[in-house]
Amino acid sequence: MNETAVCVGTFTAVKTLWEVRIHKINEELQKEKEFRERSAGRLLLVWEERAALAKLKEKVINEDGRAILRIEEEEWKTLPSCLLKLAHLQEWQLHRTSLQKIPHFIGRFHSLLVLDLSRNSIESVPKEIGQLTSLQELLLSYNRIKSVPKEISNCVNLERLELAVNRSICDLPPQLSDLKKLSHIDLCMNQFTSIPSALLNMPNLEWLDMGGNKLQELPDAIDRMENLHTLWLQRNEITSLPETIGNMKNLSTLVLSNNKLRNIPACMKNMTSLRDNPLELEVTLPPCENEEEEEQQEMFGIEFMHVYIQESLKKTGNVESSTSGPSPVMNATE
C-alpha cells in the first residue's frame, strides 16, 4: 500500500515537472516568434523607408544652382521621416499630392528657401515652421488651412506669403508685423472681414491681394502701408473708401471690381479699376483702336477712372470742362 502511494506521488511530481518545462518551452517559442515578427516588421519598415527615399531622390532636381524636390500629381498623403536624409534641399515644390499635413520635422530643413505646398489638402501649419529662418517664400494656397501660427513671424527672411483660396482664414497674428522683408502677400478667397492690423505695420509690403473676402470697409490707417504699389480688393462688400487712401503715393494699381462702391475719392483718378460697382455716374469710353489697348482698359481701367472722376468733379463744380483727345460719352444716372 505504501509502495503504491510512493509511485503515485512520484508520477504526479514528474508530470508537474514536465508541464512546467513544456510551459517554459512554449513561452520561449512564443517569444522567438514575436522576435521574428518584430524583426520582419523592422526589416519591412527599413525596406519601405529605403524604397521611399529612393523614390524621393528621383524627384530631386538641380535648377539655378538649387536642390529642388518637385512632385506633381502623385499621392503622398504624408511625408516619411527618411526625407530628413535630404536635409540639404533648398526648395520643396509639392503640388496636387493630396498631402494632408506638413511634417513636424520640417523645422530641421535649415537650408530651405522656398516651401511650395500649394493645391493639397493641408489643414494646419505646425509651429515648427518658425525654425526655417532662411525661408524666403511660403506658398500654401489652395489648401484647407484655418489659421496661421504666430511662429511664422520667426521666419525673418520671408519675402513672399501666399495663403489664397483656403476659404477659412479670417485673421493673421499681430506678430507677423515683425516680418520686415515681407513684400508680397496673397490672402484672396478667405473669410477676412477687415484688413489685419499686422499688414498695416509691414514697412516693405508692396503687393497685397485680399479679393474674394468679406471686407466692408478699409481702415483709415491704410496709408501706413506706404510702400504698397498694388492692392487687389475685388469681389468684396466695400461701400466706400477712406480719403487717406490718397496719401498712398506709391499705389499705382487698386482693383475694386465687384464691390458696392457708389463714390470714389478724386485723388484716386490714376490708380483704380472699378468695374461692376453701382457707381452714381455711368461712363462710356470711346472705342479702342487695337486689341492691346482693349486688354489694358479691361485689366486696369485707368482711363475709366480718369473719366469718371473728371465728370464727378465737374458735377460738383470743382473742375472746368476741358479734356484732350476724343471725348467720351457720359450719362448721369442720378
Side-chain angles (χ1 to χ4, degrees), residues 18 36 93 153 177 269-270:
W18 275 104
R36 287 198 302 268
Q93 297 179 8
S153 62
S177 61
K269 66 181 180 180
N270 292 320

Coordinates of all heavy atoms in Angstrom, one line a residue, residues 18 36 93 153 177 269-270:
W18 N 7.2 18.1 -16.0 CA 7.2 18.2 -17.4 C 6.2 19.3 -17.9 O 6.5 20.0 -18.9 CB 6.7 16.9 -18.0 CG 7.8 15.9 -18.2 CD1 8.2 14.9 -17.4 CD2 8.8 16.0 -19.2 NE1 9.3 14.2 -17.9 CE2 9.7 14.9 -19.0 CE3 9.0 16.8 -20.3 CZ2 10.8 14.7 -19.9 CZ3 10.1 16.6 -21.2 CH2 11.0 15.5 -20.9
R36 N 10.9 37.2 -34.2 CA 11.0 37.1 -35.6 C 10.0 38.1 -36.3 O 10.3 38.7 -37.3 CB 10.7 35.7 -36.1 CG 11.8 34.7 -35.8 CD 11.7 33.4 -36.6 NE 10.4 32.8 -36.4 CZ 10.2 31.8 -35.5 NH1 11.1 31.4 -34.7 NH2 9.0 31.3 -35.3
Q93 N 8.6 71.7 -53.8 CA 7.5 72.0 -54.7 C 6.6 70.8 -54.8 O 6.9 69.9 -55.7 CB 8.0 72.4 -56.1 CG 8.9 73.7 -56.1 CD 9.4 74.1 -57.5 OE1 9.0 73.5 -58.5 NE2 10.3 75.1 -57.5
S153 N 6.3 84.3 -37.7 CA 7.0 85.6 -37.5 C 8.5 85.4 -37.3 O 9.3 86.4 -37.4 CB 6.4 86.4 -36.4 OG 6.5 85.7 -35.2
S177 N 3.8 91.3 -38.1 CA 4.3 92.6 -38.5 C 5.9 92.7 -38.2 O 6.5 93.6 -38.7 CB 3.7 93.7 -37.6 OG 3.9 93.5 -36.2
K269 N -7.7 109.2 -59.2 CA -8.0 109.1 -60.6 C -7.0 108.3 -61.5 O -7.4 107.8 -62.5 CB -8.2 110.5 -61.2 CG -6.9 111.3 -61.2 CD -7.1 112.7 -61.8 CE -5.8 113.5 -61.9 NZ -6.1 114.8 -62.4
N270 N -5.8 108.1 -61.0 CA -4.8 107.4 -61.8 C -4.5 106.0 -61.4 O -3.5 105.5 -61.8 CB -3.5 108.3 -61.9 CG -3.7 109.5 -62.7 OD1 -4.4 109.5 -63.7 ND2 -3.2 110.6 -62.2

